[in-house]
Amino acid sequence: DSKYHLMNIRWSYEIDTDFVTWDKYAWFLYQNGKHDEALNASGKALQLATEAGEAEWANFIADHKSRIEQGSWTTFR
């Protein structure tokens, strides 16, 4: 998650609108036991997808967020 953050979050000029990257970052955080941080990243992804009018992605990300909350996120897709 640290390398992904550095290469895709910190140095990304599109990060303010890139819900896909935030969703992937949530996955890496979750897999590394950082559930609170994963929940925050997922919330950011959901907010950005909703603001972009990407209903299909928003639903996809909302499912991931729910799985983080339940402690049951086993696969990214």
Side-chain angles (χ1 to χ4, degrees):
D1 67 283
S2 297
K3 288 179 185 178
Y4 190 84
H5 181 268
L6 182 63
M7 300 302 294
N8 295 290
I9 302 291
R10 187 162 183 216
W11 290 348
S12 174
Y13 66 92
E14 297 176 325
I15 200 58
D16 290 337
T17 59
D18 191 352
F19 50 85
V20 175
T21 296
W22 278 106
D23 189 45
K24 287 179 187 174
Y25 184 47
W27 168 249
F28 291 128
L29 288 167
Y30 183 81
Q31 290 300 304
N32 284 290
K34 299 178 179 178
H35 296 179
D36 289 338
E37 291 177 54
L39 195 55
N40 289 336
S42 187
K44 179 71 172 177
L46 182 56
Q47 174 191 353
L48 293 172
T50 301
E51 289 173 357
E54 294 284 346
E56 187 173 335
W57 267 101
N59 289 335
F60 185 65
I61 294 167
D63 179 60
H64 289 168
K65 189 171 184 286
S66 175
R67 291 174 188 272
I68 293 169
E69 292 168 341
Q70 297 169 14
S72 64
W73 196 7
T74 57
T75 61
F76 182 74
R77 287 272 171 188

